[in-house]
Structure formats: structure tokens, C-alpha cells
Amino acid sequence: MFSEFPHLIDLNDHPVSWWNGLLELGENILRNPALYANSCKGKLMGTLFYEPSTRTQMSFQTAMLRLGGTVIGFDNPATSSVAKGENLKDTTKIVSGYADVIVMRHPIAGAAKAAALTADCPVINAGDGGHLHPTQTLTDLLTLKVEKKRLSGLTIGLCGDLYNGRTVHSLCKAMSCYPDNHFIMISTKELRMPSYIKDAIRAGGGTFEETESLEEVMDKLDVLYMTRIQKERFASEEEYLAQKDTYILTPKKMQLAKKDMIVMHPLPRVDEITVSVDDDPRAMYFKQAKYGMYIRMALILTMLQSTARTQLLRGREHPGVTCQNPKCITNFEAYLPKRFTGEGTTLTCEYCDHGLLLKH
Amino acid sequence: MFSEFPHLIDLNDHPVSWWNGLLELGENILRNPALYANSCKGKLMGTLFYEPSTRTQMSFQTAMLRLGGTVIGFDNPATSSVAKGENLKDTTKIVSGYADVIVMRHPIAGAAKAAALTADCPVINAGDGGHLHPTQTLTDLLTLKVEKKRLSGLTIGLCGDLYNGRTVHSLCKAMSCYPDNHFIMISTKELRMPSYIKDAIRAGGGTFEETESLEEVMDKLDVLYMTRIQKERFASEEEYLAQKDTYILTPKKMQLAKKDMIVMHPLPRVDEITVSVDDDPRAMYFKQAKYGMYIRMALILTMLQSTARTQLLRGREHPGVTCQNPKCITNFEAYLPKRFTGEGTTLTCEYCDHGLLLKH
Amino acid sequence: MFSEFPHLIDLNDHPVSWWNGLLELGENILRNPALYANSCKGKLMGTLFYEPSTRTQMSFQTAMLRLGGTVIGFDNPATSSVAKGENLKDTTKIVSGYADVIVMRHPIAGAAKAAALTADCPVINAGDGGHLHPTQTLTDLLTLKVEKKRLSGLTIGLCGDLYNGRTVHSLCKAMSCYPDNHFIMISTKELRMPSYIKDAIRAGGGTFEETESLEEVMDKLDVLYMTRIQKERFASEEEYLAQKDTYILTPKKMQLAKKDMIVMHPLPRVDEITVSVDDDPRAMYFKQAKYGMYIRMALILTMLQSTARTQLLRGREHPGVTCQNPKCITNFEAYLPKRFTGEGTTLTCEYCDHGLLLKH
């Protein structure tokens, strides 16, 4: 099933060469924003935020405004009459009649792909539940490209809740597409990186090691990517109290690191990085947020200039088969064609990537 | 009582020649939007939405932004400090000091007229309770003008809840001002068109017929205007189950229609048009929403360029007489002059058009 | 502690000559707004409203848009993910990476100063709890400058709740910096002006008198500044009923006033000025709101053009000493340096101006 428009739903829908083009454009904009100040004059972006995400929305809005374009949209599903009682298709059809590009945030996996199926303009996925958030990954890649001047040959520490962290999973998968990267996964045993991510790293030719101690590996890192680690994720209260300090970044731990290491974090942070680290020139997380604005400028511009059509659904329907993920958009929007890739007894939902084992 | 500014409160405040000029401008903008991209540069629109109506608000915002203007406003009365504890007059005075044109949505009948009385800029009524919604009617007229290439000699089917439907009432009244239109009213007996609308059609020289079956009249229609029909409106649960399918538009029923018939709907729809009808080229409801943007561009531009003053109140006060409509703005804003048209024992409130029978 | 950017946190951080420059620019913009329509082209303002204040926010938004700039921001802390669970520093750092100037409204005293400490752009205080609201005072000064053509030699009546009124306190302090102003304070005994304001007037060389009757002093006034007086502020229900009419401005009382007196009010009003006064040409409160827009244009422009750095904290930390004001920002944001001016046993918090008596 094809759409007549370009979209960014999943980074993997596009080849690495496309990512590289986007990153290059992002860096050009960053180096000379004035050159792009009128690039989207007369263009209008619709931000459909079915759940509030002020930071992401402000980043996209700023990106469009700094390209000379304008913005409409909603961000408060509770008071939005659009978000209530109207199916996603109708809202998308109406707004894509007004707007030149749609940015969609939605709590349900696959919503952005569902929207792209009927939109009369490009759709950018700004997060669909716990599923995908491609512009966060692009933000991380641009930060690495600009600050480390390369996307290969890096030793990247990933610290915190590696089991549940969508952001670090996506980063690992993306960085595995570039050669010679080594990942050091720093977490408790319970919160280790899932094996399918390790498989992806191996498949891309990358290497990795696992440890429970941030301090022990600190001096090897080119990059330290911190993530939140919630109290509830620990095995017990005792475990939490015993271990939490291990995963909090402090000026003392920073003394162990290379002079040109950089600290990244997707934000918001809670207390996994102490405020006193902020003044360290290696603390890159606020700058990283700004890189997010630049890569979104590059993305919006690319979406508005491209004439590419997009293949959104590749698989087929299987009579009587529905996705078993209760948080999949196909279980909310009845009219959607229920398409799966794969054959035989192992299918994958094309909206939420949920695997499905059929009985015979 | 006069205002120094042009306003659109009620379509009937303006002659049909004014409507035609607006429709012509709307079509010109639609044909060549680039010509109008800077028409409102430096102008600012204030959208005062005392109840959320995301679709209408986005349509107006898009219209202003696509004319090169800018927008301020609120849409969430619960969190708006303006909407709380300040009278309509003060808010209108303040915002009309900032803005060049005000768009007002309000749950109470007559609110837009009340605002126009003191505003220092033009006011556009974007819906005042169940009373008036003139830009919806203009949207419908532009759709007919562009898609049917005429506003006369049409056979227009109106289907659904014709008793309560503000939208179809307004459309009938407006289309009765153009010659040779024939209306086919399709509804249950309980939800028939009110007699005052039939009177208006007759007075304009139009004709109509009534039926309970959509299928029987389908082949005669140039236009089918669908509206929502709520379960609660049926006489009983049995009635609902027996009849509801009659008023749901399906691809099968579409096979009975002319090749150039068009299907309209004010949106949002619930299930009175099945999603499978959307792919039929005669389904015009999404395009209709886009026409709504173009006619609002024409309207905003006209309001900003016109220097017409407006007679807002024609009648007079009657000592001791107040409007008996509990949802009339005069019962909320005490300072408003309570003016009525008519004489003797039959008066009409000038804000909400409620009729009043005085005892003697 | 210095910031590399200009800020407006407290009017007293800037000399009177700076105020005068701003007022002159405000009047120039008012006289010829078209000259300034592109002054902030390409600039972006972030409005961080941690409590809703629709009127102030619309005034700032209009100001920026009428300078040709653009706006992002939030206004609904309940639905804003930024406002929840992220410290003020991180939000400020991120938004100042996107924006060229930040406007902050916050329910806690000292929040704007705290934000300025880490912002990478100028910060404008749009109200920090009951503490400061400098752009309201600037609005009042511009109104006086334009309407009375001078800021000195005026007899200014202040009527209503003078004990709790932040607005009149700030106005008195500001007008005491100009020569020969006389203040007539009109209130009940319970709601008299606090003595530290009277001290400030005396220190500036101004004079004042106190009265309980508005009518008796009406004919002496060049300016009458009305404020809200809440029922709860009276000593008893009887007192309220007996006295409230004294402090309500009516057309009858206006007959006693000079022909060129002006009536001011910070808005919103409740019923301390009857609606029938609005038509009196001396009623200046709606125009005053519009002057608020012009002075904010002048302020935004000045903030964006200035390269001044700002000394935000002058005092020092005192081991173990924290501010005792429960509504001081230092009691909410733990990382803030707790700085106090003064020495010995009498200290003043640099964020909220709360006085602190140390025991020895």
C-alpha cells in the first residue's frame, strides 16, 4: 500500500544514505541558520499531539518557525474536540487539507503509520507510544556527528535502564549501521539490554560488553549516554538503595573520563545526573536538545521538498488474524487494513512491529 | 445601535449580493492561493473560543496564516483566566485593542452580537451555542458553487436528524434565496424538518418533499447532505434498531445515485457514512472542510478591507421585559441593552432570535 | 553572580534613565507602529506560563507578533509535560536554546530571577507570584506619560485595597522616582497603604495624604487608580455592606472630577467601576491595556538589541541559612545558590526580597 507523499514513520524505512543526507543538511543549517530562515515561507505545519509532550512540540514548532513557516495544532487531548469522538482518519484527512506537513504524537503504537495511510501530506512520527521516536534518534546522531565529528569507531557507554529504554535501543540499532562502534552496556542484571538489540549490534558488525559498574569503564568511553532509572525497576527497595548511586553521574565520576568524552541524555532527567555536572564542558545534554531543533529543521525541509512516494504496507491480510498487542492502533481504528509481514506461523504486525505466533 | 466596524454575526444581516461576492472571492483564492499569501501581512486575528472547537479554530487559524497574518487567542475556557470572572465586554474591549479582527465561539446564543456591540474591530461569529454558525453555511455554499457550478436548480437531499440540525436549517434558508432549488427531506417522522424552515423555503419560491427512505430518492439527487442522527433521538430502542440502517450511507446505496451527485457532511461524522464510502469520488466531505478554509480566507480578508458600519440592534427596549431563553446572552451579561424587534404582544429577542409572547 | 544577557526581573535593577528610554521607545512605537513591524523578524519568543494568565500572555504574544517575530510556549501547567517533573533550570536551558527571549510567569516568588541565572537568552518577568510584575508598572507609566504628558507634578488617587495591592505598591515606588507627585490614598482603615510604601514615597521627596472617602477628594485628582477590593478584606459583613459603595466608581462620582482626570485600572475589574463609566472619555482602562502592548513591544525590542550583562546576585551565602518564605523559589529548586544581601542579623533574600532576622 503506497502513499503519494514522503513520510518519516520509522528510521528503518529509509536507507542510511538518506540519514546521512539529513544529518549533513542539519549540520549545514546549524552552521548557517540565516540561509534557511525563509526556506518554508508560506508552508504550514500541523502538530497533532494526542498526548502532551511540550518539549518535543516546542522543538518542532521552533524548527518550523525558524524556517519561516507557520504552525497550527493541538496538544491537549482532554479539551480538543478533534481528539474526542472522531477517528484518526477523519482528523488526518481534514488537517492534511489545511497543512503542508503533519507532525503526530500519539500514545498508541502505529498511529503515525495509520495517519500516513490517508494523509494528503507528509507525516512525521513524533513518538507513537513506546514504539518509535525517530527524531530523538536523529537528534542523537546529529549530536555525535557534530561533537565527535564521526559516527564510527566510537566507544559508547549506555547507562541506566537498558531493558526498557526505547531511546537507547534505537540508538544502538542506528549506530550499528556505522562501522567499528563498540557499546559498553552499564546496568543492573535485571535491567540489561534485551538480546534482540545485541543481535542487531552483532549483525551490523559492532561489538559490545556488559558491566554493572559505571566507574570501572568510565575512562574508556568516547560517549556516555545516560538514561533514567526508575525506583520501581529495581528488584527490591534494598537493591535500589544499594545500587542507585552507582548509576548517578557526579563530578567525581566525571574526573575518571576522557577530556573529550561527551555526556548525552534524552531529557527530562530526574536525578541520574547531578546538577553540578551541568557546568562541565563535556555535559552535552542541553546542546543535544538544541541539535534536536536543527535536525527537525532539516527533516521538515526535506519532507516539504521531496516528491518521493512511500510504501507503507508491504505484507498482506490473513483472514481472521488481528494484532494481539492491546496498544496497537489496529485495535482502536477498526477500518485499518490489518496487514502482517512474514509467512507461515510467524507474523509481524506492520503497524506496531508486534510478533505473532499462529497456532495450527 | 450601530458599530463602526463590519461584522458577520448572522448571514441574514447581509444581502445575497454580499454572499455572492464572498463566494466569488473564496473561489478566486482557491484557484490561486499564492496571489493572496500576503494579503493580511501585519494583521492579527484574535480567536476567542469560549468552548473548544478544534476543527473550526484550526480552519480559521489556517485561513489567517495562509493570508500572511498572525493569530493569538484561547481555546480552553477551563484554564483561561480571561474566560473566568471577566465579563464579555471587557475581554472583547481588551482583545480588540490587540487584534485587527476577532473570531468568537461561545456556548451562549447572542454572544457574538454582544461582543460586536463593544468591539473596536470586526467580529466574526464562529458559532454561538445552537443558534448560528454562518461560516459553516458559507462553507456549504462554496462547496456547491465549486463542485456543482451553480447555486440554483439543484435537487438537494437532506438526510438524518432534520428536526434538531442547525446546519441543515441554515442551508435550507440560504439556498432558498437562490431560484429553483428542490429539497428532499429524508428522516423519520419524529425528526422531520420544522415547519418554519418549510415556510422559509416556500417563501423563497423553492419546493420540497418529505420521505422516510433514502434509497427511494437517491437517484433524483444532485446533492446529498448527511447529518448525524443520535440514538437518543429515536422514539425507542426498537425504532432505532429498525430504522438506523436506513439513514446510514453505504457503497451499496451510492450505486443508486447519479454519477455527478456529491455527498456533503459538516463533520465530525460518527457512523452515518461508512468509511468505505470515502474512496468514492462523489464523497465531498473532506474537500468541503478545505473549502471551509478558503471561504474563511475570503471572509477575513473582506472584514479587514471593508469600512462598512453595522446596525446591530434595530428594535427597542420594553420596560420590564427580558428574554425568556435561559441560554440567551442577555441573561448572563447584565449590562447589555435588552432590545426586541416586533411590536404589541409578539416580540423577538435581537440577540438569540427567541420569540416572546407578552400577556396583557 | 552575572548573566551574559540583559534581563528584566525587577524594575529597580535598572536606573530611571533606562525606564525613560523604554517609555520613549514605547511612545514612538505607539505613534508609528508600522516603522517597527519587522524589527524582530527572525526572532522567537518563548512564553513559559507556569500559571495561566491569558491577558498578560496575549499582550506579550501580540507585542512580539506586531514586531514581526514569532512565539512558542505553554500556558497550561496541568497538561504541560515540561512544567511537571522537570526543574526550572532544565526547562529554561532547553527553551533558551530554542528562543531568543523568554517571558516567564510563575506562581512562586523569585522564579524569573532563578531562570535568568541559567538562561542562554534574556528573561522577562511577567509576574512571579505576589512578588513583582514589572511590565504592569511600565504599562501604568506609559499610560501616564501619553495621557497626562508628564510623570511629575501629578496628584494621584489610589482607591481600594491598598494594603494587599501589589500593583499600587509598585506604582507608588516607581512614581516616587519622579519629582513633585502627590498621592491620595483612599481606603478603609483596615486596608491602608503599608508604611514601607509611605517611607518610599517620603524618601523620593513625594507627599501623600490618606482618606476614607473617594467623593471628598475626587475634584483634586489628576489620576484615579482604582483597584479591586474583595469582600473578604472587610472587617465584617456589616462593614462591607456599609462601606462598599464608597469605593465603587459611578458616573455620579465622575461628575465631581476634573475634565482631564483619567481613570486607570489594572484589569480585570469585578464591580468596583460600574459599566456605565466606560463611555466616559476619561475612562482610560481599556486604552491602558493597549499601552501595555506597546510598552511590551519596546521591552522585547530592547532586550533583543541590548548586549548588557546583568548582575543577578550581589549578596553571599550564609552557612545554614535558608529563606523562611514558604513561597520563595529557593524552597522549591534545591540547586539554587541561597544568597542574601545585608549583614549581621538582618538579611534579605535575593530572590523573593523576604526579610530575615537571624537569632544569635
Side-chain angles (χ1 to χ4, degrees):
Chain A
M1 210 170 245
F2 279 86
S3 157
E4 295 305 309
F5 300 92
H7 302 284
L8 175 58
I9 307 305
D10 182 340
L11 221 42
N12 292 320
D13 295 340
H14 298 272
V16 175
S17 59
W18 185 89
W19 310 359
N20 289 338
L22 209 58
L23 293 167
E24 202 162 321
L25 179 56
E27 190 164 2
N28 285 342
I29 296 174
L30 178 160
R31 301 284 176 220
N32 206 337
L35 277 186
Y36 296 87
N38 291 302
S39 303
C40 292
K41 197 162 151 45
K43 299 295 180 185
L44 193 144
M45 180 174 83
T47 56
L48 307 190
F49 274 53
Y50 284 84
E51 64 178 6
S53 177
T54 315
R55 212 171 291 97
T56 301
Q57 193 170 17
M58 287 200 297
S59 180
F60 270 109
Q61 288 171 336
T62 304
M64 187 54 166
L65 293 171
R66 289 209 177 277
L67 290 166
T70 55
V71 182
I72 61 163
F74 58 82
D75 62 348
N76 189 347
T79 61
S80 166
S81 56
V82 159
K84 282 184 296 185
E86 182 171 74
N87 68 38
L88 193 63
K89 180 185 182 180
D90 287 13
T91 305
T92 305
K93 284 298 274 187
I94 295 171
V95 177
S96 65
Y98 300 157
D100 300 297
V101 57
I102 282 178
V103 175
M104 179 173 285
R105 174 88 168 199
H106 202 288
I108 303 299
K113 180 174 279 194
L117 280 173
T118 45
D120 292 319
C121 74
V123 173
I124 296 172
N125 185 1
D128 56 341
H131 181 224
L132 298 167
H133 191 5
T135 60
Q136 177 65 54
T137 308
L138 288 170
T139 297
D140 297 343
L141 295 182
L142 183 60
T143 307
L144 291 171
K145 179 173 160 57
V146 177
E147 293 295 331
K148 301 307 297 180
K149 292 178 184 57
R150 64 190 194 279
L151 292 169
S152 56
L154 292 170
T155 296
I156 303 168
L158 306 153
C159 179
D161 180 351
L162 305 186
Y163 185 73
N164 298 288
R166 176 182 63 178
T167 309
V168 287
H169 298 174
S170 299
L171 183 63
C172 285
K173 286 201 282 179
M175 287 300 285
S176 299
C177 298
Y178 295 93
D180 301 325
N181 288 316
H182 180 65
F183 301 88
I184 304 185
M185 300 160 179
I186 308 148
S187 73
T188 64
K189 274 173 197 155
E190 291 79 14
L191 297 176
R192 275 191 191 165
M193 191 71 80
S195 54
Y196 77 94
I197 298 293
K198 295 179 192 166
D199 293 344
I201 293 172
R202 276 191 212 100
T207 54
F208 66 85
E209 60 189 280
E210 293 180 286
T211 176
E212 290 182 48
S213 165
L214 174 55
E215 274 173 313
E216 278 176 21
V217 297
M218 200 73 181
D219 64 335
K220 302 187 198 166
L221 306 177
D222 297 313
V223 177
L224 172 58
Y225 202 105
M226 298 293 296
T227 65
R228 241 173 311 165
I229 176 162
Q230 291 165 297
K231 195 174 169 176
E232 309 84 75
R233 303 290 193 192
F234 285 89
S236 67
E237 175 84 18
E238 294 75 48
E239 191 95 348
Y240 170 72
L241 292 170
Q243 295 204 11
K244 67 166 184 149
D245 286 348
T246 318
Y247 304 105
I248 291 181
L249 187 62
T250 58
K252 204 177 148 209
K253 287 189 192 123
M254 285 298 284
Q255 290 176 1
L256 305 171
K258 291 186 193 169
K259 291 231 164 95
D260 65 349
M261 187 198 72
I262 61 170
V263 182
M264 295 173 68
H265 191 294
L267 303 181
R269 68 167 156 187
V270 182
D271 53 13
E272 58 278 6
I273 302 176
T274 61
V275 174
S276 46
V277 173
D278 297 356
D279 295 327
D280 193 307
R282 295 169 293 185
M284 209 51 64
Y285 28 96
F286 295 128
K287 225 171 161 185
Q288 185 182 353
K290 191 158 185 174
Y291 290 137
M293 176 188 83
Y294 290 118
I295 199 66
R296 289 180 178 104
M297 290 174 77
L299 179 61
I300 293 166
L301 194 51
T302 300
M303 287 289 136
L304 288 171
Q305 288 180 338
S306 165
T307 55
R309 55 204 297 263
T310 312
Q311 186 171 8
L312 288 166
L313 299 177
R314 287 173 174 78
R316 61 178 185 87
E317 297 197 45
H318 294 252
V321 177
T322 57
C323 181
Q324 288 162 10
N325 175 5
K327 295 209 131 195
C328 173
I329 193 71
T330 58
N331 291 313
F332 291 85
E333 304 275 328
Y335 56 84
L336 289 171
K338 289 165 188 60
R339 299 280 208 97
F340 298 88
T341 55
E343 284 301 328
T345 55
T346 318
L347 303 179
T348 303
C349 173
E350 285 214 75
Y351 296 87
C352 72
D353 294 314
H354 189 77
L356 189 69
L357 207 67
L358 294 185
K359 291 172 195 160
H360 275 272
Chain B
M1 211 169 245
F2 279 85
S3 158
E4 296 304 308
F5 299 93
H7 303 284
L8 176 58
I9 306 306
D10 182 340
L11 221 42
N12 293 319
D13 295 341
H14 298 272
V16 175
S17 59
W18 185 88
W19 309 359
N20 290 337
L22 209 59
L23 293 168
E24 202 163 321
L25 179 56
E27 191 165 0
N28 285 343
I29 296 175
L30 177 160
R31 302 282 177 220
N32 205 337
L35 277 185
Y36 296 87
N38 291 302
S39 304
C40 292
K41 198 164 151 42
K43 298 296 181 184
L44 193 143
M45 179 175 83
T47 55
L48 307 190
F49 274 53
Y50 284 83
E51 64 179 4
S53 178
T54 316
R55 213 171 292 97
T56 301
Q57 193 171 16
M58 288 200 296
S59 179
F60 270 110
Q61 288 172 336
T62 304
M64 188 53 165
L65 294 171
R66 289 209 177 276
L67 290 166
T70 55
V71 182
I72 61 163
F74 57 81
D75 61 349
N76 190 347
T79 61
S80 166
S81 56
V82 159
K84 282 183 296 184
E86 182 172 73
N87 68 38
L88 193 63
K89 179 185 183 180
D90 287 14
T91 305
T92 304
K93 285 298 272 185
I94 295 171
V95 177
S96 66
Y98 299 157
D100 300 296
V101 57
I102 282 179
V103 175
M104 180 173 285
R105 174 88 170 199
H106 202 289
I108 303 299
K113 179 173 279 193
L117 280 173
T118 45
D120 291 321
C121 74
V123 173
I124 295 172
N125 185 2
D128 57 340
H131 181 223
L132 297 167
H133 191 5
T135 61
Q136 178 64 54
T137 308
L138 287 170
T139 297
D140 297 342
L141 295 182
L142 183 60
T143 307
L144 291 172
K145 179 173 160 57
V146 177
E147 293 295 333
K148 301 307 296 180
K149 292 178 184 57
R150 65 190 193 278
L151 292 169
S152 56
L154 292 171
T155 296
I156 303 168
L158 307 152
C159 179
D161 180 352
L162 305 186
Y163 185 74
N164 299 288
R166 176 182 64 179
T167 310
V168 286
H169 297 175
S170 299
L171 182 64
C172 285
K173 285 201 281 181
M175 287 300 285
S176 300
C177 299
Y178 296 93
D180 301 324
N181 288 316
H182 179 66
F183 300 88
I184 303 185
M185 301 160 177
I186 308 150
S187 73
T188 64
K189 274 172 197 156
E190 291 79 13
L191 297 176
R192 276 191 191 166
M193 190 72 81
S195 53
Y196 78 94
I197 299 294
K198 295 178 193 168
D199 293 345
I201 292 173
R202 275 192 214 99
T207 54
F208 66 85
E209 60 190 281
E210 294 180 286
T211 176
E212 290 182 46
S213 165
L214 175 55
E215 275 174 313
E216 278 176 21
V217 298
M218 200 75 182
D219 63 335
K220 302 186 198 166
L221 306 177
D222 297 315
V223 177
L224 172 58
Y225 203 104
M226 297 294 296
T227 65
R228 241 174 309 165
I229 175 162
Q230 291 166 298
K231 195 172 168 177
E232 308 84 76
R233 303 292 192 192
F234 286 89
S236 67
E237 176 83 18
E238 294 75 48
E239 192 95 347
Y240 171 71
L241 292 171
Q243 295 203 9
K244 68 164 185 154
D245 287 347
T246 317
Y247 304 105
I248 292 181
L249 188 61
T250 58
K252 205 179 148 208
K253 285 188 192 123
M254 285 298 284
Q255 289 177 2
L256 305 171
K258 290 187 194 170
K259 291 231 163 98
D260 65 347
M261 187 199 71
I262 61 169
V263 182
M264 296 173 67
H265 190 294
L267 302 180
R269 68 168 155 188
V270 182
D271 53 13
E272 58 278 6
I273 303 176
T274 61
V275 173
S276 45
V277 172
D278 297 357
D279 295 327
D280 193 307
R282 294 168 292 183
M284 209 53 63
Y285 29 94
F286 295 127
K287 225 169 160 185
Q288 186 184 353
K290 191 156 185 175
Y291 290 136
M293 175 188 85
Y294 289 118
I295 199 67
R296 288 180 177 105
M297 291 174 77
L299 179 62
I300 293 166
L301 193 51
T302 301
M303 287 289 135
L304 288 171
Q305 288 179 338
S306 165
T307 56
R309 56 204 296 263
T310 311
Q311 185 171 8
L312 289 165
L313 299 177
R314 286 173 175 79
R316 61 179 185 85
E317 296 197 45
H318 294 252
V321 177
T322 57
C323 181
Q324 288 162 9
N325 174 5
K327 295 211 130 192
C328 173
I329 193 71
T330 57
N331 290 313
F332 292 84
E333 304 275 327
Y335 57 84
L336 289 172
K338 289 166 188 58
R339 297 282 206 97
F340 298 87
T341 55
E343 284 301 329
T345 56
T346 317
L347 302 179
T348 303
C349 173
E350 285 215 74
Y351 295 87
C352 72
D353 294 313
H354 189 77
L356 189 68
L357 206 68
L358 295 184
K359 290 174 196 162
H360 275 272
Chain C
M1 209 170 247
F2 279 86
S3 158
E4 295 305 308
F5 299 93
H7 302 285
L8 175 59
I9 306 306
D10 182 341
L11 221 41
N12 293 321
D13 295 340
H14 298 272
V16 175
S17 60
W18 184 90
W19 309 359
N20 290 336
L22 210 57
L23 293 167
E24 202 162 322
L25 179 56
E27 190 165 1
N28 285 342
I29 296 174
L30 177 160
R31 302 285 177 218
N32 205 337
L35 277 186
Y36 297 85
N38 291 301
S39 303
C40 291
K41 198 164 151 41
K43 299 296 182 185
L44 193 144
M45 178 174 83
T47 55
L48 308 189
F49 274 54
Y50 284 83
E51 64 178 5
S53 177
T54 315
R55 211 171 291 97
T56 301
Q57 194 170 16
M58 288 200 296
S59 180
F60 270 110
Q61 287 172 337
T62 303
M64 188 53 166
L65 294 172
R66 290 209 177 277
L67 290 166
T70 55
V71 182
I72 61 163
F74 57 82
D75 61 349
N76 189 347
T79 61
S80 166
S81 56
V82 160
K84 282 184 296 185
E86 182 172 73
N87 68 38
L88 193 63
K89 180 186 183 179
D90 287 12
T91 305
T92 304
K93 285 298 273 186
I94 294 171
V95 177
S96 66
Y98 300 156
D100 300 296
V101 58
I102 282 179
V103 175
M104 180 173 285
R105 173 88 170 201
H106 202 288
I108 303 300
K113 180 174 278 193
L117 280 172
T118 45
D120 292 320
C121 74
V123 173
I124 296 172
N125 185 1
D128 57 340
H131 182 224
L132 297 167
H133 190 6
T135 61
Q136 177 65 54
T137 308
L138 287 170
T139 297
D140 297 342
L141 295 181
L142 183 60
T143 306
L144 291 171
K145 178 173 160 56
V146 177
E147 293 294 332
K148 301 307 298 179
K149 294 180 180 56
R150 64 191 196 276
L151 291 169
S152 56
L154 292 170
T155 297
I156 303 169
L158 307 153
C159 178
D161 179 352
L162 306 185
Y163 185 74
N164 298 288
R166 175 182 65 179
T167 309
V168 287
H169 298 174
S170 300
L171 182 64
C172 284
K173 285 199 282 180
M175 287 300 286
S176 300
C177 298
Y178 296 93
D180 301 324
N181 289 315
H182 180 64
F183 301 88
I184 304 186
M185 300 159 179
I186 308 149
S187 72
T188 64
K189 274 173 195 154
E190 292 79 13
L191 296 177
R192 276 190 192 166
M193 191 70 82
S195 54
Y196 77 93
I197 298 294
K198 295 178 192 167
D199 293 346
I201 292 173
R202 276 190 214 98
T207 54
F208 65 86
E209 60 190 280
E210 293 181 285
T211 175
E212 289 182 48
S213 165
L214 175 55
E215 275 174 313
E216 279 176 20
V217 298
M218 200 74 181
D219 63 335
K220 303 187 198 165
L221 306 177
D222 297 315
V223 177
L224 172 59
Y225 202 104
M226 297 294 296
T227 65
R228 240 174 311 165
I229 175 163
Q230 291 165 296
K231 195 172 167 176
E232 309 83 76
R233 302 293 193 193
F234 286 89
S236 67
E237 175 83 18
E238 294 75 46
E239 191 96 349
Y240 170 70
L241 291 171
Q243 295 204 10
K244 68 164 183 152
D245 287 347
T246 318
Y247 304 106
I248 290 181
L249 188 61
T250 57
K252 206 178 146 206
K253 286 188 192 123
M254 285 298 284
Q255 289 177 2
L256 306 170
K258 291 186 193 169
K259 290 233 164 95
D260 66 347
M261 186 199 74
I262 62 170
V263 182
M264 295 173 69
H265 190 294
L267 302 182
R269 68 168 155 186
V270 182
D271 53 13
E272 57 278 7
I273 302 177
T274 60
V275 174
S276 45
V277 173
D278 297 356
D279 295 327
D280 193 307
R282 295 168 293 183
M284 209 52 64
Y285 29 93
F286 295 128
K287 224 169 161 186
Q288 186 183 352
K290 191 157 186 173
Y291 290 137
M293 176 187 83
Y294 289 118
I295 198 67
R296 289 180 178 105
M297 291 174 76
L299 178 62
I300 293 167
L301 193 52
T302 300
M303 287 290 135
L304 288 172
Q305 288 179 338
S306 164
T307 55
R309 56 204 294 263
T310 312
Q311 186 170 9
L312 289 165
L313 299 177
R314 286 172 175 78
R316 61 177 184 86
E317 297 197 45
H318 294 252
V321 177
T322 57
C323 181
Q324 288 162 9
N325 175 5
K327 295 210 131 195
C328 173
I329 193 72
T330 57
N331 291 314
F332 292 84
E333 305 274 329
Y335 56 85
L336 289 171
K338 289 166 187 57
R339 298 281 208 97
F340 298 86
T341 55
E343 285 301 329
T345 56
T346 316
L347 303 179
T348 303
C349 173
E350 286 216 73
Y351 296 86
C352 73
D353 293 314
H354 190 77
L356 189 69
L357 207 67
L358 294 184
K359 292 172 194 159
H360 275 272

